[in-house]
Structures are given as structure tokens and as C-alpha cells.
């Protein structure tokens, strides 16, 4: 999330907006409410408690070596028409989309 905060003005200038989604229960192991008290985000955040969103986008992960019942890290750039212009799905919980690729996709969608 922090990498997106650094580029907030550019994202907004390109007509973009962000929504973070976490496959986490409000009272889950990672205590998301406490996290947001300490690390506020200027973008909306959805706690996908029933995993409906992460399952619908195909990034839900029931069980693997590094995770149980969560989503793989993923970044989508979706056009105003609702088409996916960029998609990056991490191979593990530390794998994130390169910011330069995300910004390039936003620029091409603008």
C-alpha cells in the first residue's frame, strides 16, 4: 500500500482511483483495524471477510506453502469501460506488481 501512497497525485492526475481489498476478517489474525489505526491509507479499503471478491477475481488461495485461506497479492488496472487493462498476480505473499508497470498501464488507459 505504501508504494501507491507515494504515487497518489500521479494516479489521480491520470484519472485513476484505488481500492485495496484484503481477504481478512475484521477480527482476523492480522488485526486489520489495529493496522489501520497505525498506518492510515488515503484510499478506500475493503475487508473481504467472506472472500467473495477475491474468489470472483480468481486470486483466492485456499492453501499453499505460504498461506491459508487468503488471496494472492494482485494489482488490477481497470478502464472506465470496465475492461482489465493490466493484471499482476503475485506468486507468493511478498510478490507485488512493479510500480512502473502499474503507472504505465494507467497512462495508456487515460
Amino acid at each position: 500500500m505504501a508504494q501507491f501512497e507515494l504515487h497518489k497525485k500521479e494516479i489521480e492526475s491520470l484519472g485513476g482511483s484505488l481500492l485495496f481489498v484484503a481477504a481478512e476478517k475484521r477480527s482476523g489474525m492480522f488485526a486489520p483495524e489495529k493496522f489501520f489505526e497505525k498506518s492510515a491509507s488515503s484510499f478506500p479499503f475493503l475487508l473481504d471477510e467472506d472472500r467473495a471478491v477475491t474468489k470472483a477475481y480468481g486470486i483466492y488461495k485456499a492453501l499453499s506453502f505460504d498461506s491459508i485461506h487468503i488471496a494472492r497479492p494482485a494489482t488490477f488496472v481497470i478502464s472506465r469501460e470496465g475492461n482489465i487493462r493490466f493484471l499482476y498476480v503475485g506468486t507468493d505473499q511478498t510478490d507485488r506488481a512493479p510500480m512502473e508497470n502499474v503507472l504505465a498501464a494507467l497512462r495508456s488507459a487515460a
Side-chain angles (χ1 to χ4, degrees), residues 14 77-81 83 85-86 103-110:
L14 293 168
V77 173
I78 301 172
S79 71
R80 287 183 171 89
E81 296 79 28
N83 300 313
R85 301 289 302 249
F86 174 83
L103 293 172
L106 280 168
R107 289 183 197 111
S108 72

Side-chain angles (χ1 to χ4, degrees), residues 77-96:
V77 173
I78 301 172
S79 71
R80 287 183 171 89
E81 296 79 28
N83 300 313
I84 296 174
R85 301 289 302 249
F86 174 83
L87 169 60
Y88 186 93
V89 179
T91 57
D92 61 43
Q93 292 304 307
T94 62
D95 185 14
R96 303 290 193 268

Side-chain angles (χ1 to χ4, degrees), residues 8 11-20 43-44 76-78 106:
K8 179 182 179 182
I11 291 167
E12 290 174 342
S13 74
L14 293 168
S17 60
L18 292 173
L19 169 68
F20 294 109
F43 300 107
F76 296 82
V77 173
I78 301 172
L106 280 168

